Amino acid sequence: MTAPTTAHATPVRPARRVLESPMKRIGTALLVAVTGLVFVLLYGPLLVPITSSFFTVSHGAVDWSQPTADAYAALTRNESVLAALRTTLIVGVSAVVLSVVIATGLALYVASPEAKGRRFLQFVIFLPFLMPPIITGLALLIFFREINFERSILTVIIGHTVFVLALVYRTILVRLQSLSGSLVEASYDLGASRWQTFRLVLLPNLRGAMAGGAILAFALSFDETMITLLVTGTQSTLPVRLWAMMRLGFTPDINALVTLVLLFTTALCLVAVRFVAPVQAAAGGD
Amino acid sequence: MSAPDPLAGRSRAAAWFATFAAYVVPLGFILAPMTLFLAYSFFSVDHGDIVFSPTLANYVRFFTDPVFQPIFWRTCLLCLSVAVLCVVFAYPVALFLTGLKGRQRHAVLVLLLVPLLMSYVIKIYAVRSILGGNGLLNRTLMALGLIDEPSMLFVFNLNAVLLTLTVLLIPFAILPIFLSLETIPKALRHASADLGASDLQTFLRVTLPLSLPGVASAMSFVFVLAIGDFLTPQMVGGQSGFTFGRIIYSQFGTAFNWPFGAALSVILAAAVICAIALGGWAGTRRQTQ
């Protein structure tokens, strides 16, 4: 069926292409132009703080005459920024570990035949992801106040875990469901216990998804501002610190900090894309 | 029906853990706070103390006080405009992307999605540094001789919020449109061409209508993200760029009326649910036709 169609189409189409080529060319040019414009819109703004981080600023004006790394040197002496960086890393790592462990348990539970209230549980997990962060943050704020839980780094960790859980869960569940059920059955048939099956069969297969989910979760946690702003005590994370600094105005060390954070999140993001989309990455790498 | 368990104690611990993870965390740390939050919207405040008896006063206040509703609708309109603008920019990009193949397509897709994971606060700051009175946009316009002095049209008002949100949210619109363009069978376009339609006719009569579900979900996506955002309007909105999110925040901060703030948040959540439902409905309706 297909062969005659293509055979028939081949002589017709080149002729039409000649006829319509100016219009088609205008169309393609338009698409390229808009795509280019979007790239400028997405990346252009980021170039401003990056370039100005290498120059000195006095009275709001940038001195373009000679580049300097002064802003970066000042950053290494800025105690509040270093403290914020420490807090961010502690919160990120804790939230990632917690969310990967909980999401794995959750995915195993939901995938098991004896699970009850599966749809409802999924709905609850996805709530913080669907709702604007301001609602999640305020809900947690009220909750912590009502149960007399002092706001601290611990409340920030809980907030971040709740926020990233859905993403990690989803990543792991998709992988789990793509695993063949016979793999687990074979493990049981060969006399393995549930724990052995988990450790020797499921875990190695889920490792990639867990790593991908963990990186994504860390990237999200590293950037999370709204929830943190609401549930934090005295310690601020890097985005919250940046938020506070930016509202005061432009200084070179903000630009230096912005540049470093951007470099870090971009690297993180590229690694995450590699892990989460291994199929496409493999196709692109060939 | 699995084989007998030699490590019964351990597997019971594993099962216990799975159940714990499945119930305690979602119910204790997500559902409980959200429920409490909903309950708070029916409480009231008396001399700074919260009165725990149910009342509809907060909702009555929203619907009767002349201050809050206009801001709510203005914010909805703003976010709708952001959604439309994002789609206008995202559609050609998605179309361009479907024309690419293999490594090229992957590279452009990654480059378009990388900004999604970049620090949100930094992106707001970066856009503001361009829109500001002393920013790149104003300096360029002045250098071109279009304006004589820095224009304040693009900073600390609703225009600034609109432009910043659009720039930040375009990537979220590209992906759903790209995915829906991808699902259109090539055979349909070929058939259209074989039947004598021009490229423009094929696009208007075949490609565009079939990609509308993607446009609908892109719009609801962007709308939801825009209406829930607080950081952008706070950073670039100034006095005249007051949005609904900022009102909610002010109820928890300066006004210290948590129940009223909770009620306003419930209304925000309702708007979000409506937008998601509408996007989903528009998507499935098109697909079944």
Side-chain angles (χ1 to χ4, degrees):
Chain A
M1 274 309 277
T2 42
T5 328
T6 38
H8 158 78
T10 344
V12 179
R13 245 187 245 122
R16 201 179 356 248
R17 197 169 290 158
V18 173
L19 268 177
E20 285 167 5
S21 65
M23 219 184 84
K24 188 156 191 166
R25 220 177 288 158
I26 292 171
T28 314
L30 208 67
L31 291 191
V32 173
V34 176
T35 308
L37 178 65
V38 167
F39 269 101
V40 170
L41 288 177
L42 292 180
Y43 286 92
L46 302 169
L47 293 176
V48 176
I50 293 175
T51 23
S52 39
S53 74
F54 293 103
F55 298 93
T56 49
V57 180
S58 55
H59 306 290
V62 185
D63 173 19
W64 297 107
S65 54
Q66 72 189 87
T68 148
D70 280 357
Y72 293 89
L75 211 56
T76 58
R77 294 186 298 267
N78 190 330
E79 259 314 307
S80 69
V81 166
L82 293 178
L85 180 65
R86 247 189 325 267
T87 311
T88 310
L89 294 179
I90 295 171
V91 169
V93 171
S94 316
V96 163
V97 171
L98 279 174
S99 61
V100 169
V101 171
I102 295 167
T104 309
L106 209 58
L108 288 174
Y109 180 81
V110 169
S112 78
E114 67 251 50
K116 290 178 193 68
R118 209 171 301 182
R119 285 174 67 98
F120 180 68
L121 275 179
Q122 293 220 57
F123 169 73
V124 172
I125 302 159
F126 278 101
L127 264 181
F129 218 72
L130 287 175
M131 286 291 135
I134 190 169
I135 292 186
T136 310
L138 290 174
L140 284 170
L141 175 70
I142 291 178
F143 177 68
F144 289 136
R145 198 178 104 134
E146 283 306 317
I147 62 169
N148 280 321
F149 201 87
E150 193 82 27
R151 280 191 274 166
S152 66
I153 193 167
L154 206 61
T155 52
V156 178
I157 291 171
I158 294 173
H160 281 214
T161 307
V162 160
F163 181 61
V164 300
L165 188 63
L167 197 73
V168 185
Y169 163 78
R170 192 77 213 150
T171 320
I172 294 176
L173 187 75
V174 167
R175 185 81 190 90
L176 188 65
Q177 284 173 338
S178 74
L179 285 182
S180 161
S182 56
L183 218 60
V184 175
E185 274 167 36
S187 167
Y188 284 138
D189 281 347
L190 293 169
S193 70
R194 263 194 190 183
W195 172 248
Q196 282 174 319
T197 304
F198 172 70
R199 196 165 52 91
L200 299 171
V201 178
L202 286 176
L203 202 58
N205 278 300
L206 292 178
R207 206 170 281 157
M210 286 159 100
I215 295 166
L216 271 180
F218 188 80
L220 273 189
S221 161
F222 192 83
D223 185 33
E224 212 301 312
T225 316
M226 195 66 232
I227 298 173
T228 320
L229 206 61
L230 291 168
V231 300
T232 189
T234 48
Q235 283 162 302
S236 58
T237 59
L238 217 48
V240 172
R241 183 84 205 108
L242 268 170
W243 175 249
M245 284 164 85
M246 284 169 185
R247 297 185 68 190
L248 295 174
F250 296 70
T251 64
D253 45 334
I254 299 183
N255 290 328
L257 186 56
V258 160
T259 307
L260 293 177
V261 172
L262 274 180
L263 268 178
F264 181 71
T265 44
T266 309
L268 210 59
C269 165
L270 289 174
V271 177
V273 169
R274 279 262 143 183
F275 263 100
V276 176
V279 185
Q280 279 141 297
D286 283 339
Chain B
M1 281 292 107
S2 55
D5 230 333
L7 290 170
R10 259 184 169 164
S11 75
R12 204 174 295 139
W16 182 84
F17 173 75
T19 317
F20 172 82
Y23 287 108
V24 173
V25 174
L27 300 186
F29 288 96
I30 301 175
L31 194 63
M34 292 285 188
T35 315
L36 184 66
F37 190 61
L38 188 65
Y40 246 69
S41 72
F42 295 102
F43 296 153
S44 56
V45 162
D46 185 33
H47 295 97
D49 290 320
I50 286 144
V51 183
F52 293 93
S53 60
T55 165
L56 281 172
N58 295 318
Y59 292 97
V60 171
R61 184 173 167 203
F62 171 77
F63 285 107
T64 52
D65 195 311
V67 173
F68 302 103
Q69 268 200 68
I71 296 183
F72 175 74
W73 293 116
R74 207 179 62 189
T75 307
C76 285
L77 186 67
L78 171 85
C79 297
L80 197 65
S81 319
V82 171
V84 170
L85 267 177
C86 280
V87 166
V88 166
F89 280 109
Y91 201 97
V93 177
L95 204 57
F96 174 73
L97 210 53
T98 47
L100 294 179
K101 282 187 182 62
R103 199 185 289 189
Q104 261 183 334
R105 166 190 277 208
H106 185 251
V108 175
L109 195 60
V110 168
L111 279 175
L112 286 169
L113 297 182
V114 159
L116 281 186
L117 278 175
M118 282 180 173
S119 173
Y120 193 72
V121 173
I122 290 180
K123 283 185 287 181
I124 304 173
Y125 170 77
V127 176
R128 191 180 78 168
S129 69
I130 286 185
L131 296 178
N134 202 15
L136 203 62
L137 183 65
N138 265 318
R139 270 184 281 157
T140 312
L141 288 178
M142 284 200 298
L144 290 173
L146 291 172
I147 52 174
D148 295 327
E149 53 187 62
S151 161
M152 286 298 146
L153 268 176
F154 313 112
V155 76
F156 302 135
N157 54 31
L158 279 178
N159 295 339
V161 182
L162 176 78
L163 289 173
T164 313
L165 280 175
T166 303
V167 169
L168 295 185
L169 298 178
I170 287 173
F172 288 98
I174 294 173
L175 204 58
I177 298 176
F178 170 66
L179 291 177
S180 81
L181 283 171
E182 274 293 285
T183 57
I184 301 173
K186 277 203 177 65
L188 285 179
R189 286 205 299 272
H190 289 260
S192 166
D194 284 345
L195 291 170
S198 70
D199 285 332
L200 185 67
Q201 280 174 320
T202 301
F203 173 73
L204 290 178
R205 301 239 179 120
V206 179
T207 313
L208 184 65
L210 286 174
S211 67
L212 286 181
V215 171
S217 56
M219 282 191 67
S220 85
F221 231 50
V222 171
F223 181 86
V224 165
L225 289 167
I227 202 169
D229 192 24
F230 160 81
L231 300 170
T232 306
Q234 183 73 13
M235 183 86 148
V236 302
Q239 278 301 314
S240 61
F242 226 73
T243 58
F244 201 61
R246 289 178 72 183
I247 297 241
I248 293 174
Y249 192 79
S250 73
Q251 291 304 318
F252 283 82
T254 46
F256 214 74
N257 191 341
W258 287 23
F260 187 55
L264 294 179
S265 307
V266 171
I267 289 160
L268 175 71
V272 165
I273 292 165
C274 283
I276 294 175
L278 215 61
W281 173 78
T284 47
R285 201 180 66 101
R286 273 283 168 182
Q287 261 155 7
T288 49
Q289 271 180 358

